[in-house]
Amino acid sequence: MTRLVTLQRPATSRPTKSSLTDSSPDSGGPGVAGDGGAGSGGHGVVRLRLDLGYDGSQFHGWAAQPGMRTVQGVLSGALGLLLRLPQPPELTVAGRTDAGVHARGQVAHLDVPDHTGLEDAVPDQAGSDQAGPDQTRAAAAPMVPARLNRLLPADVRVHAIQVAPGGFDARFSALWRRYSYRICDLQASADPLRRHDTLWHRRPLDLDLMNEAAAACLGEHDFAAFCRRRPGASTVRELLRLDWHRDEDGVVVGTVLADAFCHNMVRALAGAVLAVGDGRKPASWLSAVLAAGVRDPAVTVLPPHPLCLEQVGYPPDADLSARALVTRQVRGTS
């Protein structure tokens, strides 16, 4: 039968500084976010990594908002029940998706006191009644948290929970985020069952022109022309991939990959490329908008429902802290 293993703090030297907040990189050993700290009662703090997906159709985005149904609100409430916490835990996420945006490969972390019922969230899948090194390693491996999913609605699924390695920060340790955007320009092929994740466009699209225009945006640039500015936040990003192809059903699928994204950046880029693809703008227009550095009223921010966060990439465990430090220095905590 499946045996539940209580996670223990490593026997290495104890960290001297708590990192319960998102303001400093984790400096503890594997799975330890700090020692002491608010709500820990003098015990150590364990950082957990969650991998999850959700259908964003009925959510007002990721971030918790009073009186609104959000992914963060629903997930933190379920975690609070599962871990028997006095209040829902704080969650840090790799990508704060907007209302209506979906996620297939979202990543989040939370810090919890190590005396909570962690064994309820991270079962030992080794199936042995004798605890030992194999069971300890199994407790730190990604697992499907069945009990947590029973507390969640059907439009949110947690795929895995694991004790995070030292230095891990779901947001600041990330190297890149990959999104997809789906557009159907063949009205006869429009699938009504996919209307919640696909944009129906009336004009035919030329993918060669779209990819020609998109290529001019690759690399590190100031994407102010495609972002909603936020006080004190940088709009400089490194766009690693922006290309379009047709899938087996003829649907146009865009892949957008960058180290990070400004607010509305993906949907604004998609809107600009779409204007080139349907002939409203020449391929050279996109690079001109980027160089101008100001919002162009001709750039349409496309609807959120065809957008999906597909994957988040991280460096090797040994480089997590360094990556988080660099990201904070470049972008601040905004």
Side-chain angles (χ1 to χ4, degrees):
M1 65 179 182
T2 299
R3 185 171 186 267
L4 301 181
V5 175
T6 302
L7 301 177
Q8 301 293 329
R9 287 159 53 202
T12 55
S13 59
R14 293 160 54 125
T16 59
K17 190 174 184 180
S18 172
S19 59
L20 282 171
T21 67
D22 194 38
S23 61
S24 62
D26 177 2
S27 58
V32 177
D35 190 41
S40 67
H43 292 262
V45 175
V46 175
R47 174 159 292 183
L48 300 179
R49 168 177 168 161
L50 281 70
D51 292 80
L52 66 146
Y54 46 84
D55 176 349
S57 302
Q58 301 302 315
F59 287 105
H60 287 82
W62 163 268
Q65 304 175 57
M68 298 289 188
R69 185 176 187 260
T70 68
V71 182
Q72 183 180 17
V74 167
L75 180 58
S76 62
L79 283 164
L81 289 174
L82 180 68
L83 301 176
R84 307 185 187 99
L85 300 174
Q87 58 187 14
E90 294 291 330
L91 289 165
T92 297
V93 73
R96 288 170 51 121
T97 51
D98 291 334
V101 177
H102 315 291
R104 187 172 284 110
Q106 181 70 278
V107 180
H109 81 247
L110 69 154
D111 296 335
V112 296
D114 67 359
H115 63 274
T116 58
L118 289 174
E119 66 275 15
D120 288 339
V122 188
D124 170 24
Q125 292 184 329
S128 171
D129 290 332
Q130 300 296 320
D134 290 340
Q135 286 81 359
T136 301
R137 285 192 294 271
M143 301 175 184
V144 179
R147 295 190 65 182
L148 176 57
N149 282 325
R150 285 198 290 269
L151 296 173
L152 289 168
D155 49 2
V156 182
R157 292 292 91 175
V158 173
H159 306 307
I161 296 178
Q162 61 181 314
V163 177
F168 177 80
D169 185 294
R171 179 185 178 192
F172 288 108
S173 294
L175 289 172
W176 47 262
R177 288 93 170 156
R178 177 169 62 87
Y179 284 84
S180 66
Y181 199 93
R182 291 171 49 87
I183 304 173
C184 179
D185 63 337
L186 306 173
Q187 294 303 303
S189 303
D191 184 354
L193 299 182
R194 300 299 300 266
R195 68 190 184 280
H196 297 301
D197 71 349
T198 306
L199 176 68
W200 291 356
H201 192 64
R202 295 181 180 179
R203 300 182 180 183
L205 297 174
D206 185 324
L207 270 62
D208 290 336
L209 287 176
M210 293 170 70
N211 285 322
E212 178 185 344
C217 295
L218 296 178
E220 185 174 85
H221 303 282
D222 186 340
F223 284 91
F226 300 98
C227 299
R228 179 180 295 177
R229 286 188 178 273
R230 305 172 79 172
S234 171
T235 52
V236 175
R237 298 291 188 268
E238 184 179 8
L239 188 63
L240 302 171
R241 182 178 174 185
L242 176 58
D243 54 66
W244 302 80
H245 73 278
R246 290 189 186 273
D247 67 10
E248 61 275 10
D249 297 319
V251 173
V252 177
V253 180
T255 298
V256 191
L257 187 148
D259 57 346
F261 293 94
C262 312
H263 191 213
N264 284 348
M265 178 176 163
V266 178
R267 290 192 285 141
L269 281 170
V273 173
L274 187 69
V276 172
D278 66 15
R280 286 175 290 154
K281 296 290 183 181
S284 59
W285 174 69
L286 201 61
S287 59
V289 171
L290 177 65
V294 294
R295 293 298 294 266
D296 188 318
V299 175
T300 301
V301 177
L302 294 183
H305 68 278
L307 183 61
C308 181
L309 175 57
E310 298 285 356
Q311 187 181 9
V312 182
Y314 293 94
D317 292 354
D319 299 330
L320 289 168
S321 289
R323 172 61 183 176
L325 182 61
V326 168
T327 305
R328 292 177 192 278
Q329 290 174 340
V330 171
R331 288 194 189 96
T333 57
S334 58

